[in-house]
Amino acid sequence: MVDNWITTFLIIFFTFLVIVLTRIKVNVFIKGIRPLIWLILFTVVMQLLFTGGGEVYFQWGAITISSFGIANGALVFLRFTLLIVMSTVVTLTTKPMDLADAISYLLKPFSYLRMPVQDIALMLTVSMRFIPTLMEETDKIMKAQRARGVDFGEGNIFEQMKKIVPVFIPLFVSSFNRAEDLANAMEVRGYEGDAKRTRFRLLHWHGIDAIAFLVFIAVTVCLWLL
């Protein structure tokens, strides 16, 4: 558990440095976290109530509040927040096509092992591209629910989680519809994952890339050792 906290704080420090270097305003990250705050809280509550171990503070049937549960809930909250923050940094500072090209270049050696590098790069790029879209969609759904009289801040934690269900259902439906539309559009345009492609713009390795790569390797090694 101590190792997990050390690793998490190291990631927090690294994330803070990235935010400072990118000069992105804090309000941007708050707006990115706000639509998903209830999902994060729901996950934290599940960890809090159903994780045993350590000193037990309260127990009623399957519900157990323990020191491990509280610690795991805090770790989940921090990791979710860091994931959203870093995703926001990537999407705001890197164009989707640049990201796809970079991933494709980095994974190119694995193509000799018959790994679908192009498909992996495409999946990662589409996932990163749709994170802001899903956040915006969540915000719209929550505003629509508020217009119907739903108060997400009213009631106890269980009542608030119950109010989130009408948000998740249309969000999942919308996500599947977007995925289907994207797949149909790619199929109509004749997309093939294993097709050989030429590149209009070639990427070149610069000194700043080497520095960023070394920093990333150093952080990764530190996290692995911890």
Side-chain angles (χ1 to χ4, degrees), residues 29 37 59 81 88 120 123 150 157 177-178 185 195 203 212 218 222:
F29 299 105
I37 188 64
Q59 187 170 10
T81 304
T88 304
I120 294 175
M123 286 188 295
V150 177
I157 186 66
N177 289 336
R178 289 179 184 274
L203 299 179
C222 290

Side-chain angles (χ1 to χ4, degrees), residues 56-69:
V56 177
Y57 302 114
F58 174 80
Q59 187 170 10
W60 183 63
I63 298 176
T64 302
I65 299 179
S66 63
S67 58
F68 274 22

Side-chain angles (χ1 to χ4, degrees), residues 91-164:
T91 54
L92 291 179
T93 59
T94 309
K95 297 178 181 179
M97 290 304 300
D98 292 340
L99 185 61
D101 291 340
I103 294 173
S104 179
Y105 271 111
L106 290 175
L107 297 179
K108 189 174 182 179
F110 294 98
S111 62
Y112 298 104
L113 302 176
R114 296 186 178 181
M115 180 180 292
V117 173
Q118 293 291 341
D119 292 340
I120 294 175
L122 177 66
M123 286 188 295
L124 292 175
T125 304
V126 171
S127 300
M128 297 298 297
R129 167 62 183 83
F130 274 96
I131 287 177
T133 304
L134 291 177
M135 290 181 178
E136 183 180 354
E137 190 74 20
T138 304
D139 188 49
K140 289 181 179 179
I141 295 173
M142 293 184 70
K143 287 181 179 178
Q145 293 293 332
R146 290 192 182 98
R148 293 180 174 90
V150 177
D151 187 358
F152 292 100
E154 186 180 20
N156 56 43
I157 186 66
F158 296 102
E159 293 176 349
Q160 293 180 17
M161 287 190 295
K162 187 177 180 180
K163 295 175 183 177
I164 294 299

Side-chain angles (χ1 to χ4, degrees), residues 157-214:
I157 186 66
F158 296 102
E159 293 176 349
Q160 293 180 17
M161 287 190 295
K162 187 177 180 180
K163 295 175 183 177
I164 294 299
V165 175
V167 176
F168 285 156
I169 294 176
L171 181 62
F172 282 127
V173 172
S174 175
S175 301
F176 287 128
N177 289 336
R178 289 179 184 274
E180 185 177 5
D181 292 341
L182 179 61
N184 291 334
M186 293 174 63
E187 185 177 358
V188 169
R189 288 170 172 80
Y191 176 82
E192 295 181 4
D194 56 351
K196 293 184 179 180
R197 294 178 174 82
T198 58
R199 298 185 182 277
F200 176 75
R201 183 180 56 183
L202 298 177
L203 299 179
H204 299 282
W205 190 268
H206 299 285
I208 190 65
D209 299 318
I211 295 174
F213 180 74
L214 292 176

